[in-house]
């Protein structure tokens, strides 16, 4: 298994066990992915922007703080409506990335446009997350970067007030964010950018499509017609209103609860047309025994109480791996997930962490280079370590629906993307707010 670093001892949270089918209508916080991209595009625009329904969580607050430190004016006091007024980007400034891949990969290209020195560092685990390909790409585009280590945090961008841009080759097989970070800032580069990916497939393709869609919505000219090649023309970005969708990845544990308990969960405020991979999620949940419908009420998932095993390549929706692994533990047949080797470089080595923690609860599963094989059998309670990873806490919560006594060592790590998670989850399972 990969290297894992346990979180500090905290008061454990006992995942509630469901005695009845869940039946709940939820309004969840906004998409982390959309909020992060909207903040960057708004800070680089030629006029003010508003974000309606943004996600207020650690990752997005760090993104806003990083942009504010470089000079953008951010008004985030209203939970439902954030205002961004672009301003000249300057240093010196320091960006705390926390454990957020979006912050550590989206803001160094922005820092290249600033006039001055911008330093970056974050949580200890952040120093192990893949960043080298982005550093190399930015250097080839004319950005000066000082790196103390081996292509990871901490680092300093020595901004010159502009970035030459041009063509760059990158291996983005570790994270689609490596490409998105370059694309989001590219309209402000002198020559724009042409990014060519060379290497194993880029994971999480829906996130790249979201980047392209949001760039175009802000007025950028983007050509993504050639596979593994993205071209962004230089030009102004328009300030605009951004309507942030509910977070689909954050909703998945709640949808999983419908399958496990034979209940029904509706996510309110879901748009008819989404930038998130809702069709792929629908397919996966239906194969595992759920029924997924979209109506004026929202996105609804219904279960029968019987979960089916699943064999699937999850490379395009790797964020779903922890919750789907927990579902697979409770299924009526084996499951096999592949295509997610890159999640070893997420907040923790998710493959190793899932294998270790579920094995400690009695699970029969095998870790492979790029996934997991799960052979369901009865689980027992025990401490489930999160390694400061919010998705690990989500997985434990899903398993806890059917397995009494699962204690999550650090449920507070869910504040990374959904501070309300423990309260929302307990209210859904117990019926008490």
């Amino acid at each position: 298994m990969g290297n894992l670093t346990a979180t500090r001892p905290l008061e454990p949270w006992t995942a509630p066990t469901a005695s009845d089918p869940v039946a709940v209508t939820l309004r969840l916080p906004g998409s982390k992915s959309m909020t992060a991209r909207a903040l960057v595009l708004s800070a680089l625009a030629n006029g003010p922007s508003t974000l309606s329904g943004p996600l207020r969580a650690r990752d997005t607050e760090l993104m806003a703080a990083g942009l504010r430190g470089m000079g953008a004016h951010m008004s985030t006091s209203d939970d439902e409506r954030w205002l961004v007024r672009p301003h000249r980007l300057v240093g010196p400034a320091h960006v705390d990335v926390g454990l957020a891949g979006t912050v550590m990969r989206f803001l160094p290209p922005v820092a290249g446009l600033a006039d001055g020195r911008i330093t970056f560092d974050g949580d200890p685990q952040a120093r192990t997350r893949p960043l080298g390909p982005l550093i190399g790409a930015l250097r080839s585009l004319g950005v000066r970067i000082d790196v103390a280590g081996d292509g990871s945090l901490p680092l300093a961008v020595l901004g010159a007030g502009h970035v030459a841009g041009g063509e760059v080759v990158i291996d983005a097989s570790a994270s689609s964010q490596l490409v998105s970070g370059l694309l989001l800032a590219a309209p402000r580069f002198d020559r724009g950018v042409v990014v060519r990916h060379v290497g194993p497939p880029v994971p999480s393709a829906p996130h790249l499509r979201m980047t392209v869609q949001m760039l175009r919505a802000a007025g950028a000219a983007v050509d993504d017609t050639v596979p593994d090649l993205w071209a962004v023309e230089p030009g102004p970005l328009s300030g605009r209103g951004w309507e942030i969708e509910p977070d689909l990845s954050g909703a998945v544990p709640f949808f999983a609860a419908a399958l496990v308990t034979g209940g029904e969960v509706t996510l309110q405020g879901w748009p008819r047309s989404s930038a998130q991979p809702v069709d792929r999620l629908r397919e996966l949940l239906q194969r595992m025994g759920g029924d997924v419908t979209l109506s004026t009420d929202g996105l609804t998932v219904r279960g029968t109480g019987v979960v089916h095993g699943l064999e699937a390549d999850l490379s395009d929706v790797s964020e779903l791996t922890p919750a789907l692994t927990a579902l697979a533990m409770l299924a009526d047949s084996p499951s096999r997930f592949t295509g997610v080797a890159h999640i070893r470089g997420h907040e923790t080595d998710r493959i190793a962490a899932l294998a270790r923690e579920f094995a400690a609860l009695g699970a029969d599963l095998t870790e492979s280079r790029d996934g997991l094989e799960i052979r369901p059998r009865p689980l027992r309670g025990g401490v489930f370590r999160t390694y400061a990873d919010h998705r690990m806490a989500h997985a434990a919560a899903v398993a806890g629906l059917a397995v009494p006594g699962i204690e999550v060592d650090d449920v507070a790590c869910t504040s990374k993307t959904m501070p309300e998670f423990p309260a929302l989850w307990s209210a859904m399972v117990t019926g008490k707010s």
Side-chain angles (χ1 to χ4, degrees), residues 287-288 307-312 324-337 364-366 372-377:
R287 288 170 61 190
M288 296 191 86
V307 180
H308 304 314
L310 174 70
E311 183 162 329
L324 294 183
T325 297
L327 268 180
M329 297 289 165
L330 309 174
D332 61 1
S333 59
S335 294
R336 181 170 178 261
F337 301 137
D364 179 11
L365 74 170
T366 303
L372 292 161
E373 294 187 27
I374 299 119
R375 295 163 291 277
R377 68 184 186 190

Side-chain angles (χ1 to χ4, degrees), residues 34-76:
M34 290 190 72
T35 301
R37 286 161 175 78
L39 285 171
V40 173
L41 292 170
S42 298
L44 297 176
N46 59 6
S49 297
T50 56
L51 280 67
S52 298
L55 170 67
R56 181 183 293 281
R58 187 184 185 216
D59 279 17
T60 53
E61 289 184 323
L62 288 170
M63 181 72 80
L67 291 165
R68 186 184 288 119
M70 284 187 268
H73 295 170
M74 299 268 170
S75 175
T76 59

Side-chain angles (χ1 to χ4, degrees), residues 214-267:
M214 293 183 70
L215 274 163
R216 288 173 175 156
V222 186
D223 184 351
D224 64 344
T225 55
V226 177
D228 291 332
L229 189 144
W230 301 264
V232 181
E233 296 292 330
L237 292 169
S238 301
R240 52 158 292 159
W242 295 101
E243 297 287 338
I244 307 299
E245 300 174 4
D247 195 302
L248 188 64
S249 296
V252 170
F254 296 90
F255 291 153
L259 271 66
V260 173
T261 68
E264 180 176 315
V265 173
T266 296
L267 176 60

Side-chain angles (χ1 to χ4, degrees), residues 287-379:
R287 288 170 61 190
M288 296 191 86
D291 177 60
V292 184
T293 57
L294 177 62
S295 69
T296 55
D297 294 330
L299 189 64
T300 299
V301 177
R302 300 176 182 86
T304 63
V306 177
V307 180
H308 304 314
L310 174 70
E311 183 162 329
D313 180 335
L314 300 180
S315 57
D316 55 343
V317 286
S318 60
E319 283 287 310
L320 310 187
T321 305
L324 294 183
T325 297
L327 268 180
M329 297 289 165
L330 309 174
D332 61 1
S333 59
S335 294
R336 181 170 178 261
F337 301 137
T338 59
V340 292
H342 60 284
I343 70 173
R344 292 188 180 277
H346 280 202
E347 284 81 346
T348 188
D349 179 338
R350 283 182 174 164
I351 294 175
L354 288 165
R356 178 176 293 179
E357 296 310 307
F358 277 116
L361 303 183
D364 179 11
L365 74 170
T366 303
E367 173 188 348
S368 67
R369 180 191 63 81
D370 72 337
L372 292 161
E373 294 187 27
I374 299 119
R375 295 163 291 277
R377 68 184 186 190
L379 301 180

Side-chain angles (χ1 to χ4, degrees), residues 378-390:
L379 301 180
R380 57 179 177 268
V383 175
F384 192 101
R385 294 178 295 172
T386 64
Y387 309 95
D389 186 339
H390 56 144

Side-chain angles (χ1 to χ4, degrees), residues 163-179:
V163 175
E167 297 190 13
V168 65
V169 176
I170 188 172
D171 179 354
S173 57
S175 174
S176 65
Q177 293 171 350
L178 299 167
V179 174

